[in-house]
Amino acid sequence: MQTEHTVLLVSADADFLDTATEALGADQDYRLIHCRSEQEAAARLNELQAHLIICDAELIGDESANVLVSARISHPHVARLLFGSTDAAERCAEIARRAASYLYVMKPAPRDLIRLLAKRALELSELSRRHRVLSRELKISMDDDIFAQREEFSVKGGWSQFEKLVYVSAKMAELCAEAKQAAQTELPVLIQGETGTGKELLARAIHFNSKRMNSPMHVQNCGGMSDDTLHSELFGHLRGAFTGAVSDRLGLFRAADGGTIFLDEISEISPSFQVSLLRFLQEGEVKPLGADRLYHADVRVIAASNRPLEKLVEKGEFRRDLYYRLKGFELHIPALRERPEDIPVLTEFFVEKYAGVVGRRVVGVTKDVLAKLEAYAFPGNVRELETEIRRMVAVAEQGGYIAARHLSPVFDRVTVRRDDAFDLPADGSSLKQMVETLEKRAVTASLQRHHWNQSRAADELGLSRVGLANKIKRYGLQNA
């Protein structure tokens, strides 16, 4: 089935609109959206999955700040065509240059020329998209080979990368392997994990490694929204369906037909909206607000929650049947404190990323900084680590190291375990005393690392929960 292309016709010129509509409207490959102002075009561009903008230069007020220039940055995949009058050729050329338009053409333009230009602009846009995808895959492949050979990571075999997820821990390797399996299916995916762990990144990785990668992926945060607003965002509405509905809205489910919808904070939706979502998951039916007819959309749903849904089901706050519909695959992203071995590689990744953004050359990160980062609990998870690295890169000296003085004040309270923490006792101690001293220090260090979570400390030490409790009692250990 051939792809339908959404085209925004941005003009107030009735003759030009008629000609463009005659050129493209009869072709079933195009869906035309008329916009009579820059503001309307910008709004529709954010609402729809547009493929091409055909803009009349007469509507553009500012040559350097307009809807075409903005689209170049915010929607680089959307092809751009500019039409203008002959007496404003120089102005059209300047606008086209700033917006990186495919071409600018003088009006009046014949129907056949408009049809040909639209086709060629879309073809070039698709070729550019494929080039970006292939370049990205090639770069990731080359980077993996290079990183695997780097001396600092050669012992463990280097870091791994699943799209934008960077890791070295076994927990993340197992998660990404399961996510790759999920990507090859059409089943819904439920991603659970604390805030800041990278649930949206994992959702995007699944989408871009699935059969739907060439179709759109839309993201909707369900938290803090009324039922009517959320219904309008996802299912759409007709003009006049409620106060403020001044125009039709397609809705993300229909806009993402053939693609993927990522529903973040799914735990926050109301019981009544849970029924609507369940109906969509079962039948694929979309009924816009104010509409009398049903539509159908082929959309894969990836949902995420920072609260465990199974507990909400037990409390009666979330529908059990919807929970089972969402968890075709259920993935849990571990918190950063549960995989501290990922902190050094994430640190290096973010340093390289933000050094390039701010144009600052940073030689590296000192051992003291890495030790502080690894000892910190990171309640904000990877997002907090990324924010901290971005700030340190910005304040670090050009051509220097990121040192402990660049850390935020919150790290002043972090205690780092010394390398000599397990030195043997002084001479004169018996073997039994030395063993007991080392055991006491090992137990203490493990409890401190896991913030006195005795289950995790027991797992790390290879003890039962009762065995660890006995040692805590034996050595008189207390949580400071």
Side-chain angles (χ1 to χ4, degrees):
M1 184 176 65
Q2 200 164 10
T3 304
E4 181 186 58
H5 295 103
T6 299
V7 180
L8 297 185
L9 292 177
V10 188
S11 178
D13 184 339
D15 292 336
F16 175 68
L17 285 174
D18 289 343
T19 304
T21 301
E22 290 175 7
L24 304 177
D27 195 332
Q28 294 183 353
D29 295 340
Y30 298 104
R31 180 163 65 102
L32 305 183
I33 307 294
H34 291 184
C35 302
R36 298 187 178 275
S37 68
E38 278 194 80
Q39 294 73 21
E40 184 182 357
R44 300 309 296 270
L45 189 62
N46 290 326
E47 293 174 2
L48 304 173
Q49 183 68 22
H51 301 90
L52 172 64
I53 303 175
I54 297 179
C55 188
D56 190 340
E58 293 179 4
L59 279 185
I60 293 179
D62 191 332
E63 296 175 7
S64 59
N66 54 68
V67 66
L68 285 183
V69 174
S70 299
R72 178 186 182 183
I73 300 171
S74 62
H75 298 78
H77 60 282
V78 179
R80 298 170 293 283
L81 277 174
L82 182 67
F83 287 78
S85 57
T86 306
D87 57 355
E90 292 185 5
R91 183 170 182 269
C92 287
E94 179 62 19
I95 295 172
R97 183 186 68 80
R98 291 179 179 272
S101 296
Y102 173 64
L103 278 177
Y104 71 93
V105 184
M106 298 296 99
K107 299 188 301 183
R111 292 191 300 270
D112 291 342
L113 179 59
I114 295 176
R115 187 182 300 114
L116 180 62
L117 289 177
K119 181 178 180 181
R120 293 291 180 263
L122 289 168
E123 287 175 350
L124 181 62
S125 178
E126 175 63 15
L127 287 173
S128 298
R129 187 195 64 78
R130 293 186 182 184
H131 178 265
R132 289 194 299 270
V133 171
L134 291 174
S135 298
R136 180 187 63 190
E137 292 177 350
L138 179 61
K139 183 179 185 301
I140 290 174
S141 177
M142 292 176 64
D143 286 350
D144 285 343
D145 291 340
I146 292 171
F147 291 148
Q149 296 172 10
R150 293 174 66 164
E151 182 178 0
E152 57 266 39
F153 299 118
S154 60
V155 176
K156 295 293 184 181
W159 67 40
S160 298
Q161 194 165 349
F162 182 37
E163 293 293 325
K164 293 185 179 180
L165 289 169
V166 175
Y167 59 92
V168 73
S169 63
K171 289 182 178 180
M172 285 299 293
E174 293 174 4
L175 171 69
C176 290
E178 190 173 357
K180 290 175 183 177
Q181 289 182 338
Q184 301 307 310
T185 72
E186 291 293 307
L187 294 172
V189 180
L190 176 60
I191 304 174
Q192 302 200 71
E194 295 181 7
T195 299
T197 50
K199 295 186 289 295
E200 184 174 340
L201 289 181
L202 183 59
R204 291 188 181 277
I206 292 172
H207 169 73
F208 287 115
N209 285 270
S210 71
K211 298 176 182 178
R212 298 173 179 261
M213 63 178 295
N214 294 324
S215 298
M217 174 180 174
H218 291 299
V219 177
Q220 178 63 51
N221 190 307
C222 302
M225 300 187 74
S226 66
D227 283 359
D228 285 346
T229 303
L230 189 57
H231 196 107
S232 172
E233 290 290 329
L234 295 177
F235 293 90
H237 65 250
L238 298 185
R239 179 180 179 180
F242 53 87
T243 303
V246 296
S247 62
D248 293 352
R249 189 181 187 90
L250 187 65
L252 293 183
F253 281 142
R254 292 172 64 196
D257 192 16
T260 304
I261 284 284
F262 175 59
L263 301 178
D264 200 5
E265 296 191 40
I266 193 69
S267 58
E268 305 306 311
I269 62 176
S270 68
S272 60
F273 192 81
Q274 291 177 30
V275 177
S276 300
L277 183 58
L278 178 63
R279 181 71 180 176
F280 174 77
L281 288 170
Q282 290 173 336
E283 307 296 340
E285 293 180 353
V286 178
K287 186 178 181 182
L289 288 173
D292 296 326
R293 58 172 294 190
L294 290 174
Y295 299 88
H296 285 81
D298 174 23
V299 175
R300 182 188 199 178
V301 173
I302 301 178
S305 173
N306 56 15
R307 295 197 292 162
L309 288 189
E310 58 271 23
K311 292 185 178 180
L312 298 181
V313 170
E314 292 173 1
K315 295 178 181 178
E317 298 177 10
F318 200 87
R319 291 181 65 98
R320 186 177 299 274
D321 47 3
L322 178 56
Y323 170 60
Y324 288 126
R325 277 283 178 180
L326 291 171
K327 58 172 287 187
F329 271 85
E330 187 170 13
L331 306 176
H332 179 81
I333 304 183
L336 187 56
R337 63 180 173 275
E338 298 173 9
R339 46 187 178 98
E341 60 269 38
D342 284 338
I343 292 178
V345 296
L346 285 168
T347 298
E348 178 160 345
F349 178 80
F350 290 138
V351 166
E352 292 180 359
K353 173 182 176 181
Y354 289 109
V357 170
V358 302
R360 190 179 299 276
R361 191 173 77 85
V362 177
V363 177
V365 181
T366 64
K367 290 184 178 180
D368 290 344
V369 170
L370 283 178
K372 287 271 190 180
L373 293 175
E374 290 181 274
Y376 183 57
F378 282 106
N381 291 293
V382 180
R383 184 181 296 136
E384 183 182 2
L385 173 63
E386 181 176 5
T387 302
E388 179 66 21
I389 299 302
R390 180 171 56 187
R391 191 196 62 80
M392 288 196 295
V393 168
V395 301
E397 295 80 7
Q398 180 76 2
Y401 282 89
I402 292 178
R405 65 179 179 278
H406 299 128
L407 287 165
S408 299
V410 69
F411 289 89
D412 294 341
R413 301 189 296 270
V414 175
T415 302
V416 178
R417 181 175 63 85
R418 298 289 182 181
D419 292 338
D420 59 355
F422 296 106
D423 284 349
L424 290 173
D427 292 341
S429 300
S430 66
L431 177 61
K432 180 180 179 182
Q433 290 173 325
M434 288 189 288
V435 170
E436 288 179 345
T437 300
L438 290 175
E439 185 178 61
K440 178 180 178 180
R441 291 178 181 175
V443 171
T444 302
S446 181
L447 288 168
Q448 289 177 347
R449 270 197 303 277
H450 295 287
H451 307 281
W452 273 77
N453 185 315
Q454 295 187 25
S455 296
R456 291 176 182 166
D459 289 340
E460 181 181 78
L461 296 169
L463 300 172
S464 66
R465 181 75 184 269
V466 174
L468 177 61
N470 289 336
K471 293 188 182 297
I472 292 173
K473 182 178 179 180
R474 176 181 177 183
Y475 295 122
L477 303 180
Q478 294 181 354
N479 184 0

